[in-house]
């Protein structure tokens, strides 16, 4: 249970840092690239064995982590594009509703149990994510030509979670979790650095200290959100569909409450309904997995 709670807490801290980015006008892309460097460093520090590239490339999960790193960067940019074209509410729902992908994967591939309580809990969880994510009255109006972007965010986020679960269960040894996480972030960092160098050469960005500090503040919780999620998946507390449901719904619920307490956000009645459904769905999914 402690690993799941820590993963949720780390993810909520990421939410807080992103909110502070806008307040202090931190350049998001620069901070994201620095974040990947910091997250990678955290994994290397946490890893107890020797870090040798010649050894790492021989791991069964190595080439998968390269693909995941590229996917991390791609999904982030798609999220930014979706936000610009369709709004924050749309990207929030697309990202969090993607929990359905690893849930379905766990049920089909791992033949995980699917009782009535879990079915009801998952349906309520999806409803809770939708209701809690809509922070403004504009709803989810999406122009047809822009529909592809939230769909890609949904698919990409789902593939990331599903891939982490698959690799964790089939390739990653218990002692290699820090190195596995670090390699994913290293891949994303390399792609990000190349992109930033190109942009800097074109005079489109200038590296600033506050962006570096923002990246450090983001990188530490970002690393531990993945690290503790992997630990939670192999803890035996719940099956993977239960872990992903509780993790995603709890993040939405706690982030919403933090928004009220720290950032004085106002909630609509449907947001409160979403929080209530989130609590109930977590309860149902948890007891169904015991």
């Amino acid at each position: 249970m402690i690993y799941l709670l820590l993963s949720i807490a780390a993810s909520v801290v990421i939410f807080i840092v992103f909110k502070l980015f806008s307040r202090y006008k931190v350049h998001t892309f620069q901070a994201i690239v620095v974040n990947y460097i910091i997250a990678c460093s955290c994994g290397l520090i946490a890893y107890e064995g020797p870090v040798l590239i010649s050894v790492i490339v021989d791991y069964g999960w190595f080439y998968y982590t390269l693909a995941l790193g590229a996917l991390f960067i791609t999904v982030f940019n798609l999220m930014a594009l979706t936000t610009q074209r369709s709004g924050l509410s749309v990207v929030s729902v697309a990202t969090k509703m993607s929990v359905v992908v690893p849930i379905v994967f766990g049920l089909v591939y791992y033949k995980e149990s699917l009782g009535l309580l879990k079915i009801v809990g998952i349906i309520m969880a999806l409803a809770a994510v939708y209701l809690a994510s809509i922070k403004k009255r504009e709803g989810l109006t999406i122009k047809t030509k822009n529909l592809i972007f939230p769909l890609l965010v949904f698919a990409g986020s789902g593939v990331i979670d599903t891939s982490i679960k698959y690799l964790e269960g089939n390739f990653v040894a218990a002692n290699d979790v820090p190195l596995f996480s670090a390699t994913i972030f290293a891949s994303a960092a390399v792609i990000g650095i190349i992109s930033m160098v190109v942009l800097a050469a074109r005079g489109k960005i200038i590296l600033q200290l506050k962006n570096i500090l923002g990246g450090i503040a983001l990188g530490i919780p970002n690393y531990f959100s993945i690290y503790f999620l992997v630990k939670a998946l192999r803890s035996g507390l719940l099956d993977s569909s239960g872990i992903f449901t509780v993790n995603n719904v709890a993040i939405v619920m706690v982030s919403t409450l933090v928004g009220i307490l720290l950032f004085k956000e106002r909630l609509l009645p449907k947001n409160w309904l979403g929080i209530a459904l989130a609590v109930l769905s977590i309860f149902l999914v948890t007891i169904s997995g015991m």
Side-chain angles (χ1 to χ4, degrees):
M1 178 62 78
I2 186 65
Y3 290 126
L4 182 57
L5 293 176
L6 288 172
S7 177
I8 293 167
S11 297
V12 173
V13 171
I14 292 173
F15 159 78
I16 295 172
V17 173
F18 270 124
K19 292 288 280 188
L20 293 176
F21 277 5
S22 59
R23 176 176 295 182
Y24 294 101
K25 302 187 185 306
V26 172
H27 190 283
T28 304
F29 182 72
Q30 289 186 36
I32 285 291
V33 175
V34 174
N35 138 80
Y36 287 136
I37 297 172
I38 297 301
C40 173
S41 301
C42 287
L44 296 179
I45 292 172
Y47 184 59
E48 297 178 353
V51 179
L52 302 172
I53 296 178
S54 59
V55 175
I56 294 175
V57 296
D58 289 332
Y59 282 110
W61 46 257
F62 174 71
Y63 292 103
Y64 292 102
T65 59
L66 299 183
L68 270 177
L71 194 57
F72 270 42
I73 286 281
T74 302
V75 170
F76 168 73
N77 284 295
L78 285 170
M79 288 172 64
L81 192 57
T82 302
T83 302
Q84 295 166 3
R85 298 198 177 196
S86 301
L88 185 59
S89 296
V90 175
V91 75
S92 297
V93 173
T95 302
K96 294 307 178 184
M97 291 287 277
S98 67
V99 68
V100 73
V101 179
I103 288 175
V104 171
F105 180 78
L107 295 173
V108 174
Y109 185 82
Y110 293 106
K111 309 297 182 184
E112 293 175 354
S113 60
L114 185 62
L116 179 60
L117 285 179
K118 180 177 285 188
I119 293 174
V120 174
I122 290 174
I123 292 174
M124 292 183 70
L126 295 176
V129 168
Y130 174 80
L131 292 170
S133 296
I134 307 301
K135 297 297 194 300
K136 299 180 181 179
R137 296 183 182 276
E138 77 272 9
L140 288 175
T141 302
I142 310 175
K143 294 181 180 179
T144 303
K145 66 178 181 179
N146 293 331
L147 184 60
I148 184 64
F149 299 113
L151 289 176
L152 289 174
V153 169
F154 170 86
S157 299
V159 169
I160 287 174
D161 284 345
T162 303
S163 299
I164 288 174
K165 167 56 187 172
Y166 175 77
L167 294 174
E168 170 272 325
N170 292 277
F171 293 99
V172 184
N175 295 333
D176 292 337
V177 172
L179 188 60
F180 167 70
S181 304
T183 307
I184 295 175
F185 288 119
S187 174
V190 170
I191 296 172
I193 290 171
I194 293 173
S195 300
M196 200 158 67
V197 168
V198 171
L199 290 172
R202 295 178 177 177
K204 293 186 176 181
I205 62 171
I206 300 175
L207 191 62
Q208 295 179 302
L209 178 60
K210 65 179 180 180
N211 302 327
I212 296 175
L213 295 176
I216 294 172
L218 181 63
I220 296 173
N222 196 10
Y223 167 76
F224 283 106
S225 68
I226 299 295
Y227 174 80
F228 288 129
L229 177 60
V230 173
K231 286 288 191 179
L233 284 168
R234 59 176 56 202
S235 67
L237 174 67
L238 298 169
D239 55 29
S240 68
S241 59
I243 290 291
F244 280 115
T245 301
V246 174
N247 186 68
N248 279 265
V249 175
I251 289 170
V252 172
M253 180 181 69
V254 177
S255 296
T256 302
L257 293 175
V258 168
I260 298 171
L261 297 174
L262 295 185
F263 301 103
K264 310 302 179 184
E265 293 182 355
R266 292 185 177 182
L267 299 190
L268 302 174
K270 58 187 174 184
N271 300 144
W272 288 110
L273 177 59
I275 292 174
L277 286 177
V279 174
L280 187 54
S281 69
I282 290 173
F283 174 75
L284 290 177
V285 171
T286 300
I287 63 173
S288 69
M290 292 181 174

